[in-house]
Amino acid sequence: MNQKDWTTVPVLPCKAIGETLLFWENLGFTITYRQDRPYQYGVVERNGHQLHFVRVKGAETGYAGCLIMVDDVKKVHSDFCEALRTRLGRVPNTGVPRISRMRPGQSRFTITDVSENSVIVIQMGEKDQVEYEDADPATLTPLQKAMSLALRLRDFKEDYPAALKVLDTAIGKMGDGETEADQAKAEGIRDSLINLID
């Protein structure tokens, strides 16, 4: 495989995103991304090289993760599943180790290894940026914001109960300004989360 087809970015644990980003900024890095909810996440960059950080409660416990950005996430998922099927006789989707399922339209999946390290494989390109990072603009309706947060929780953290709770709350408080298309999309995401929890 051509080495330029993949980019690997380690995600490092931190106790507080603000203090961590400030420290690296003081060393000459530029803060290129910061997220405070639904969990703290940040990126610093210098000379084209990035460091990614996530706040982890009890960071000293040894949590570690990594992002792999690829040109064709569906093919990579298929290749990994086939390798697991060949070597293990099955594709583990729960427990440890596991590989998360790919849903239609999804641009990432997570591999959890035997040490419980999370490796998130992400489709390179603008769609992923919009889908996961564009959750805060004032132009989004409450339901659209809830869907974006639920997708982050589902696909980055594999926290299906929290994602379901976010959607249930938004659906319960849904006002007249939500479109039928968004309501149907929210229900579809909700149904997929229920299947993942069961």
Side-chain angles (χ1 to χ4, degrees):
M1 178 173 285
N2 186 336
Q3 290 181 339
K4 294 181 181 179
D5 291 344
W6 292 37
T7 300
T8 304
V9 181
V11 180
L12 306 173
C14 67
K15 293 181 180 179
I17 199 66
E19 293 172 11
T20 301
L21 296 179
L22 178 59
F23 172 79
W24 289 98
E25 190 176 41
N26 288 338
L27 291 174
F29 283 71
T30 301
I31 298 170
T32 59
Y33 181 73
R34 178 172 177 171
Q35 168 186 299
D36 291 299
R37 62 180 179 85
Y39 56 91
Q40 294 182 9
Y41 191 93
V43 180
V44 295
E45 183 175 332
R46 183 172 178 175
N47 297 333
H49 299 283
Q50 298 180 347
L51 294 172
H52 289 231
F53 300 94
V54 64
R55 181 183 178 274
V56 179
K57 291 180 182 177
E60 64 278 1
T61 60
Y63 169 88
C66 180
L67 303 179
I68 301 175
M69 298 176 188
V70 299
D71 284 336
D72 188 346
V73 72
K74 289 180 184 176
K75 182 177 184 331
V76 172
H77 186 267
S78 177
D79 290 348
F80 285 163
C81 286
E82 185 57 34
L84 289 170
R85 203 175 284 113
T86 299
R87 289 169 178 83
L88 302 177
R90 65 188 182 91
V91 179
N93 299 120
T94 59
V96 176
R98 67 182 175 272
I99 183 171
S100 63
R101 295 181 176 97
M102 284 282 293
R103 304 291 176 207
Q106 193 171 317
S107 59
R108 63 188 61 216
F109 66 92
T110 302
I111 302 165
T112 304
D113 70 13
V114 294
S115 299
E116 299 190 53
N117 293 308
S118 293
V119 177
I120 304 168
V121 182
I122 303 173
Q123 177 72 41
M124 281 193 261
E126 293 182 15
K127 179 189 182 299
D128 190 76
Q129 292 272 125
V130 170
E131 186 84 17
Y132 293 95
E133 295 181 3
D134 200 24
D136 297 322
T139 57
L140 295 183
T141 68
L143 185 59
Q144 290 170 338
K145 287 182 183 180
M147 285 190 287
S148 185
L149 293 176
L151 290 173
R152 285 187 195 175
L153 289 166
R154 181 192 73 185
D155 298 338
F156 270 104
K157 304 293 278 185
E158 291 188 290
D159 192 342
Y160 309 132
L164 183 60
K165 183 176 180 181
V166 165
L167 274 184
D168 281 343
T169 300
I171 291 169
K173 295 179 178 178
M174 195 164 39
D176 294 335
E178 305 293 352
T179 66
E180 287 185 21
D182 280 342
Q183 291 176 39
K185 183 177 179 183
E187 289 293 344
I189 296 170
R190 185 181 184 280
D191 290 344
S192 73
L193 288 166
I194 290 170
N195 290 334
L196 288 169
I197 293 169
D198 291 341

